[in-house]
Amino acid sequence: MSCKKLKMICFSPTRTTRRILDAIAEGVGAECSEVVDVTRADRVPETCDCADNDLVIIGAPVYGGRIPLIAVERFKALKSCGSPVVPVVVYGNRAYEDALIELADIAVEAGFKTLAGAAFIGEHSFSSERTPIAVSRPDEDDLGKAREFGKSLAAKLADGSLFAGDVEIPGDRPYKERSPKASASPVSNDACQLCGSCERVCPTAAISVGSLVETDPDKCIFCCACVKVCAFEARKLEVPRLLEVSQWLADNFSDRREPEVFI
Ligand SMILES: Cc1cc2nc3c(=O)[nH]c(=O)nc-3n(C[C@H](O)[C@H](O)[C@H](O)COP(=O)(O)O)c2cc1C
């Protein structure tokens, strides 16, 4: 079986997951590709129409060793008719724990068949000048490995070993418990120009910009897309507990981790 069409389905607030998926897709070299980006609620399609020989790559970041709940909900809206799928998680250099197996399970429940899986590293959402964590990842080395992985996916599809069913995806069931979410959010300071870029990138529509910036702390998932997109550096994550976590991550997870592929 060779791959004619490649579909990428992703949730990626700070775009590291999306960059990895794009590099994998480049390596696959399919005749055409389509992106279903469910990062914004208004882009979630009701069904995912795939033919048997479409290859689907599904990607999400790791939050607390799991797939973010909001991504789980959005992925569950998708249905498939037995297409080969490659679950890919991207994590901030600490650990991915049960996220990859969770994503693989979501895809199988939706009707896909697992061809391979992978865990890559992206700059941590909480990374800052004070607490740098996996800064500038994925870098050229990561993207090269993602392209190589894409090539090996195309080779696996071409040699017909697709349904051998021997792909072992690491992780435990039941999955690690989710931590309760605090009701808080990043805040905008006086440097804010009310440009609205934070509102546009927020995956949960928690931000509204008018004559000031208002954020619903119950909707915020701390993805930090608003912090990273702000051209005026006016948006900061100043939640005390999360600043402590950021410091802990910067102090304890500075050794470079490398991508892992399961094929
Ligand atoms: C709420 C939250 C929890 C996170 N939990 C983890 C984690 O358990 N392990 C880890 O290594 N990185 C963790 N990260 C970092 C993200 O997985 C990482 O920054 C990823 O590259 C973000 O993907 P994106 O750019 O597609 O949004 C977490 C980030 C957030 C916002």
Side-chain angles (χ1 to χ4, degrees):
M1 183 187 283
S2 66
C3 164
K4 294 237 166 9
K5 191 167 164 196
L6 175 72
K7 196 181 280 258
M8 289 182 278
I9 304 171
C10 78
F11 178 84
S12 183
T14 63
R15 316 317 282 161
T16 59
T17 306
R18 177 64 191 273
R19 288 174 57 210
I20 290 292
L21 260 52
D22 285 344
I24 295 173
E26 207 185 310
V28 172
E31 281 168 29
C32 67
S33 63
E34 182 194 337
V35 182
V36 180
D37 189 331
V38 300
T39 310
R40 297 265 325 201
D42 51 6
R43 311 263 165 85
V44 183
E46 275 180 18
T47 55
C48 173
D49 220 358
C50 328
D52 285 358
N53 60 348
D54 286 353
L55 173 62
V56 177
I57 305 177
I58 182 165
V62 176
Y63 283 11
R66 299 282 305 271
I67 299 300
L69 207 49
I70 186 135
V72 173
E73 280 159 18
R74 290 179 190 176
F75 289 151
K76 277 190 175 157
L78 305 166
K79 303 266 175 293
S80 156
C81 49
S83 313
V85 72
V86 182
V88 176
V89 294
V90 177
Y91 68 104
N93 207 57
R94 186 188 68 80
Y96 60 93
E97 295 164 297
D98 301 330
L100 187 56
I101 199 165
E102 182 180 14
L103 188 55
D105 288 348
I106 291 168
V108 168
E109 258 174 54
F112 292 98
K113 292 185 179 169
T114 314
L115 177 72
F120 281 79
I121 295 90
E123 175 167 323
H124 203 292
S125 321
F126 300 164
S127 180
S128 69
E129 257 176 47
R130 246 183 311 166
T131 56
I133 316 153
V135 176
S136 301
R137 307 259 326 251
D139 57 17
E140 266 318 306
D141 199 52
D142 296 314
L143 296 174
K145 285 180 179 161
R147 283 189 288 270
E148 282 306 310
F149 179 53
K151 277 188 203 161
S152 62
L153 295 175
K156 185 167 181 184
L157 272 180
D159 86 0
S161 62
L162 169 58
F163 298 116
D166 54 358
V167 188
E168 276 208 28
I169 303 288
D172 291 325
R173 298 187 195 94
Y175 315 130
K176 185 183 174 184
E177 279 208 16
R178 292 182 191 278
S179 322
K181 198 202 90 63
S183 179
S185 73
V187 288
S188 302
N189 63 27
D190 289 349
C192 175
Q193 305 292 310
L194 301 171
C195 71
S197 57
C198 53
E199 180 179 337
R200 286 191 289 278
V201 297
C202 179
T204 62
I207 305 174
S208 64
V209 181
S211 56
L212 50 99
V213 181
E214 286 178 281
T215 311
D216 182 339
D218 293 326
K219 283 189 180 169
C220 176
I221 57 167
F222 305 123
C223 71
C224 294
C226 58
V227 175
K228 303 222 173 190
V229 80
C230 182
F232 309 101
E233 298 188 11
R235 192 88 182 150
K236 304 281 176 201
L237 182 69
E238 278 167 359
V239 180
R241 174 72 192 124
L242 295 184
L243 292 181
E244 275 171 38
V245 171
S246 309
Q247 191 64 59
W248 172 73
L249 290 166
D251 291 345
N252 293 284
F253 299 95
S254 56
D255 287 353
R256 183 183 173 93
R257 290 184 156 274
E258 295 297 342
E260 288 170 68
V261 301
F262 307 94
I263 185 161

